[in-house]
Amino acid sequence: MALKDFILKYAPIVGQNIGISLYNTFLYKQRHKGHYKAYGDYYRRFENASEQEIAHEAQNRLDEFLQSTTQNSPWYRKHRGKPLHEFPILEKAQLLAHMDTIRTIEEKEGIVSLTGGTTGASMKVIYAHKDMQERFALKDHFRARYGYRLGKKVAWFSGKSLVRPQDLENGNVFRDDYINKIRFFSTFHISQQNFDAYWRAFCSFKPEYIVGFPSSVYDLCTMAQERNLKYDGKVTAFFPTAETVLPQYRSVISEVFGCQVVDQYAASEGAPFILECPHGSLHIHPLTGVFEVVDENMQPADEGEILVTSFTTHGTPLVRYRIGDRIKLAPESFRCACGSSFPVVEYIDGRTSDFIWSPENGKVNLGNISNCTKDVDGIICFQVMQKEAHAVHIAVVANARFTRDQQQNFIDAMTLRLGTSVTVQLDLVDEIPREPSGKFRLVKNMLTSDLMQSASMQRS
Ligand SMILES: [Zn+2]
């Protein structure tokens, strides 16, 4: 057992807090070493650069990245000198299977990052130190636009398991980093019976910022609203991570905590960044990498899956990597009021497997599914599960306002989107479990692509 795990399991809470404080401080020191400061200056400088300067620099970064990749990665060696669009598309399964020929450094030379894949297979990516310093420099630069810096009080809701069963009985649902003023909340135990402990801990801490899973913060907020509780502090900004930010998350969280919700996209495999500006637009950051948007035939499109080439992945190069997310680009003529010339994305759709398959309507995406609650009273959260083409099971956590009429409204809204050939079964439950990663999944699609194909063939 690693020392860290040993401390988490056996030490008293104060001891754990001290351990967490020291460990975090060590991590921050590591991230802020080396090139961190220079990259902070770099991103500040290019914030106000002209369109030409940015395009020129983006090309330089791409050239450098492809050259270094083809020089150092055995997997990419044979593509030396090719322009980006002639590189092969990198599938997730290939990255998993050929990690050892793709990567350019050994584990001990870099920083290992583990990501939970959609299939449950976890992926191990090795970052070069310099790239990690760049990523943190950009993230901090981005958050600094909203006044954030290290040392401001932050409430953190992430997928780390921090809390032991005996802690729950005592209402200890968080751990503190005393040095960097961060309160880490467990996202696994936000429930009706633990709500009071969470709310007390949040209110007494009075964070200036929140970072973490939007579904967790949203759950906390809806429970507070049900109890007619008013938060008597003010959070400056919430920086969501890891999950798609659904419209209802945005409105409820900003209403309860009075904060701006500032979205970002940067998957843990090392994708380039999409960052929300103070005017609410999602801007692609062209100095972090290339986003190619493609249709089902892998041809360029304005809306569809993305292939990412990320300039901060020298350790495990990602070139035209099919990461499994979708975006829609804003029309080229669109100019954001913030003045930035960085391209704007209309929306980011989480993983491509996050959809329900309708034999009549094809893929019904996450945004459309979540919209089904728009005119329905009483739903706290729900999860749609699909195991066969013609039926879905929906687990719903709801309060007393979710009457028979409201249930019917919800089913009607669902049927409108899924078509009449899909039966909708509603199950009222007390709780919907999260994934092992701590993330909440609105949609769980267990249909294989074979099944979908035969379903659509039957139809035609
Ligand atoms: Zn903008």
Side-chain angles (χ1 to χ4, degrees), residues 4 18-28 160 177 180:
K4 194 181 77 185
I18 291 169
I20 287 169
S21 307
L22 293 173
Y23 182 65
N24 252 337
T25 304
F26 161 77
L27 280 184
Y28 285 127
K160 286 197 179 57
D177 170 347
N180 303 295

Side-chain angles (χ1 to χ4, degrees), residues 166-183:
Q166 70 263 37
D167 294 329
L168 283 179
E169 288 160 26
N170 304 320
N172 294 315
V173 293
F174 64 90
R175 290 293 180 270
D176 277 327
D177 170 347
Y178 302 126
I179 299 174
N180 303 295
K181 297 192 188 152
I182 302 169
R183 181 160 283 188

Side-chain angles (χ1 to χ4, degrees), residues 145 275-283 334-342 344:
R145 294 186 75 181
L275 302 168
E276 186 170 330
C277 76
H279 288 262
S281 297
L282 294 160
H283 290 273
F334 177 83
R335 280 280 163 266
C336 180
C338 77
S340 167
S341 63
F342 294 180
V344 172

Side-chain angles (χ1 to χ4, degrees), residues 69-292:
T69 296
T70 50
Q71 201 169 335
N72 301 317
S73 162
W75 178 265
Y76 282 114
R77 201 158 286 157
K78 58 178 177 286
H79 300 292
R80 187 174 295 182
K82 283 184 186 168
L84 179 64
H85 67 266
E86 287 180 21
F87 275 70
I89 289 168
L90 179 65
E91 299 283 348
K92 241 174 210 191
Q94 289 176 307
L95 180 58
L96 266 169
H98 303 286
M99 182 52 100
D100 287 341
T101 46
I102 293 172
R103 68 187 168 87
T104 64
I105 53 175
E106 299 291 330
E107 278 186 29
K108 60 177 187 297
E109 296 171 87
I111 299 163
V112 176
S113 161
L114 292 170
T115 73
T118 40
T119 54
S122 114
M123 193 170 321
K124 203 188 225 177
V125 168
I126 309 165
Y127 283 99
H129 286 283
K130 188 182 177 190
D131 287 338
M132 201 52 126
Q133 287 154 0
E134 174 170 357
R135 293 180 75 83
F136 278 103
L138 174 57
K139 227 178 258 184
D140 288 346
H141 162 67
F142 157 63
R143 290 177 180 168
R145 294 186 75 181
Y146 301 87
Y148 169 83
R149 58 184 158 70
L150 189 63
K152 295 249 183 177
K153 271 193 197 176
V154 180
W156 208 290
F157 293 81
S158 80
K160 286 197 179 57
S161 72
L162 311 151
V163 169
R164 305 164 293 186
Q166 70 263 37
D167 294 329
L168 283 179
E169 288 160 26
N170 304 320
N172 294 315
V173 293
F174 64 90
R175 290 293 180 270
D176 277 327
D177 170 347
Y178 302 126
I179 299 174
N180 303 295
K181 297 192 188 152
I182 302 169
R183 181 160 283 188
F184 293 96
F185 285 92
S186 162
T187 50
F188 294 93
H189 305 101
I190 301 174
S191 64
Q192 297 293 352
Q193 77 223 54
N194 295 326
F195 172 82
D196 288 339
Y198 276 92
W199 189 251
R200 248 192 332 261
F202 191 95
C203 293
S204 66
F205 184 58
K206 291 215 179 348
E208 288 173 80
Y209 296 89
I210 308 173
V211 177
F213 295 164
S215 66
S216 301
V217 180
Y218 170 77
D219 285 351
L220 191 65
C221 288
T222 51
M223 290 181 205
Q225 281 185 329
E226 278 168 45
R227 290 164 172 77
N228 287 319
L229 291 168
K230 288 266 174 292
Y231 179 58
D232 68 349
K234 196 181 175 313
V235 175
T236 307
F238 168 37
F239 301 112
T241 60
E243 300 170 323
T244 304
V245 180
L246 301 172
Q248 70 266 36
Y249 293 176
R250 209 176 260 278
S251 60
V252 170
I253 294 167
S254 59
E255 197 181 316
V256 171
F257 291 134
C259 60
Q260 206 173 346
V261 178
V262 189
D263 202 5
Q264 57 161 32
Y265 173 85
S268 42
E269 289 108 306
F273 288 78
I274 299 175
L275 302 168
E276 186 170 330
C277 76
H279 288 262
S281 297
L282 294 160
H283 290 273
I284 287 178
H285 203 307
L287 301 186
T288 63
V290 178
F291 287 86
E292 294 174 73

Side-chain angles (χ1 to χ4, degrees), residues 5 22 42 46 51 55 119 159 167 189 201 236 250 257 289 291 326 338 357-358 382 410 425 434:
D5 298 328
L22 293 173
Y42 172 85
F46 276 103
E51 217 162 320
T119 54
D167 294 329
H189 305 101
T236 307
R250 209 176 260 278
F257 291 134
F291 287 86
R326 300 169 60 86
C338 77
W357 172 256
S358 155
F382 71 97
F410 184 52
Q425 190 188 327
R434 287 170 171 273

